Amino acid sequence: METSKTETDTEQRDKLRKKVVEDTGGILSYFWPLHPIRLFIDLVLAALRLIQPLAPQLVPLAVFSVSLPLIIFLSVGSGYWVWKSVAVGWETEIFLQYGDSPVPYAETIIPNVVAQQPYDISLHLLVPANEANFALGNFMASLTLATARNSTLAFARKPAIVLPPSASPWSFLYNRPGTVDLNIPMLKDFTLGVTRPLARVELGRRDLWKTLGEGHGREISVLSGYIRGVVLHRGVRGIISRFPLASAMVASAVFFLILFVGMVACLMPAVEWHFPSDVNEPPKVDDRARRRKRSRRRTEGEAGDSKHRTKAGTQSDGSSRIRSAVSAE
């Protein structure tokens, strides 16, 4: 009696809870702000119930769809980084200062330098082709490379001379008329070790040509000047610097292949592979089990035949006995 009473009490409580929940939901549905939210939640739950049987197939597909654009973006970014990091030649313009020191000088910062890449550094000057420059004879060009903390990296001092331009009919193709192009090699196969070195260039003679001729001071006239660095192609860095675009494309392809293979390897255990042949073909039975069944059938058949033969033999013996008895009578 007590157990039945407790069961009825439990049922009444459950009914009362369900009724309270239904009444509360009905009351809340009258509120306008809550009704669209509840409707949206119901629609989402209904959609999830429909998709639930396909979840094992849809989850890997969603992960693949989200990961593939990210892999492509990272691959393109790696190729761009390789292309941006390739060492290339550089050229920095210098502006000579006259009258501030005994000889003309210029100071500048060399940007876009790969610290561990060797360069051939030279000084290029475009000077007027006039008698004053031709009469100077030999003069000195000095180059000082230093860090931002004023620590000297290299110092080079080379002689130069301005010669009259050649009378070749094709000289106008590589020289501006009335000018002479001077190329002065300063440093060969030099590694800077920093990315933004400071450069100081000085042109002329420290005696200001006073020890020559009549002892008047002279200066070289310069229209424009540049410091140039030419990349030396050596090893893997040399191959990449020779073919920057191809190297960037190869880097993107390799990065994409590695990430794609890794993603597929991670998603394969979550994918169930079904083939039509697996569905249509009946389950295979072990050959040993078949042989055992056949042997059992054979033994059962032989036993049935022997029983039938014994029954027939007993019946024939009985009939023969009856006949012999009748004939004796």
Side-chain angles (χ1 to χ4, degrees):
M1 295 292 290
E2 292 180 358
T3 55
S4 61
K5 187 176 181 180
T6 54
E7 290 178 356
T8 54
D9 292 340
T10 311
E11 291 178 357
Q12 289 178 0
R13 289 175 184 174
D14 293 339
K15 291 180 181 179
L16 183 61
R17 289 174 182 173
K18 291 180 181 179
K19 189 174 181 181
V20 170
V21 170
E22 291 177 358
D23 294 341
T24 306
I27 293 170
L28 293 176
S29 63
Y30 287 103
F31 291 98
W32 180 83
L34 298 177
H35 182 68
I37 298 174
R38 184 179 179 184
L39 181 61
F40 176 76
I41 294 173
D42 293 338
L43 291 175
V44 171
L45 293 176
L48 291 176
R49 292 191 196 98
L50 293 174
I51 298 173
Q52 186 176 4
L54 301 175
Q57 288 78 20
L58 291 179
V59 171
L61 181 62
V63 174
F64 180 82
S65 302
V66 173
S67 301
L68 187 60
L70 181 62
I71 290 174
I72 293 174
F73 176 76
L74 292 176
S75 301
V76 174
S78 66
Y80 176 76
W81 181 79
V82 171
W83 179 76
K84 196 71 176 176
S85 302
V86 172
V88 294
W90 46 267
E91 182 179 88
T92 303
E93 188 175 6
I94 58 174
F95 300 94
L96 293 170
Q97 306 296 318
Y98 288 86
D100 295 340
S101 66
V103 294
Y105 75 97
E107 293 181 349
T108 185
I109 298 176
I110 302 175
N112 303 324
V113 176
V114 179
Q116 303 303 322
Q117 176 66 40
Y119 294 95
D120 284 343
I121 302 176
S122 58
L123 180 64
H124 292 258
L125 301 174
L126 186 65
V127 300
N130 53 30
E131 293 297 331
N133 284 334
F134 298 152
L136 291 176
N138 289 324
F139 63 94
M140 302 302 294
S142 62
L143 174 65
T144 305
L145 298 177
T147 62
R149 296 181 179 180
N150 203 17
S151 177
T152 303
L153 297 172
F155 176 77
R157 188 172 171 86
K158 299 295 179 67
I161 188 172
V162 180
L163 297 176
S166 61
S168 174
W170 307 105
S171 61
F172 69 93
L173 295 177
Y174 49 86
N175 276 337
R176 199 166 75 179
T179 60
V180 177
D181 191 5
L182 289 180
N183 183 14
I184 309 171
M186 303 301 294
L187 295 171
K188 187 177 182 180
D189 194 5
F190 180 73
T191 302
L192 294 170
V194 294
T195 56
R196 294 177 62 87
L198 301 177
R200 179 183 173 91
V201 177
E202 294 181 356
L203 298 176
R205 294 168 58 114
R206 293 179 179 176
D207 62 355
L208 302 179
W209 286 272
K210 293 181 178 180
T211 59
L212 301 177
E214 299 178 357
H216 299 292
R218 288 176 281 181
E219 291 179 332
I220 182 172
S221 302
V222 178
L223 294 176
S224 62
Y226 298 90
I227 302 175
R228 292 178 183 175
V230 179
V231 177
L232 296 180
H233 303 288
R234 292 179 181 174
V236 178
R237 289 178 179 270
I239 296 173
I240 296 175
S241 60
R242 282 181 182 272
F243 309 100
L245 184 59
S247 301
M249 294 176 66
V250 170
S252 296
V254 171
F255 197 80
F256 176 82
L257 183 63
I258 292 173
L259 290 182
F260 186 78
V261 170
M263 180 187 65
V264 171
C266 293
L267 292 179
M268 280 186 67
V271 179
E272 297 180 0
W273 298 97
H274 298 286
F275 297 95
S277 59
D278 297 338
V279 179
N280 297 329
E281 290 182 359
K284 295 183 179 180
V285 183
D286 193 3
D287 294 337
R288 295 180 180 177
R290 289 182 178 180
R291 292 175 183 174
R292 291 174 183 174
K293 290 181 180 180
R294 290 177 183 175
S295 62
R296 289 176 183 174
R297 290 176 184 175
R298 289 177 183 176
T299 53
E300 290 176 358
E302 291 176 357
D305 293 341
S306 62
K307 290 180 181 179
H308 182 70
R309 289 175 185 175
T310 53
K311 289 181 181 180
T314 54
Q315 290 178 1
S316 61
D317 292 339
S319 61
S320 62
R321 290 175 183 175
I322 293 171
R323 288 175 184 176
S324 61
V326 172
S327 62
E329 292 175 358

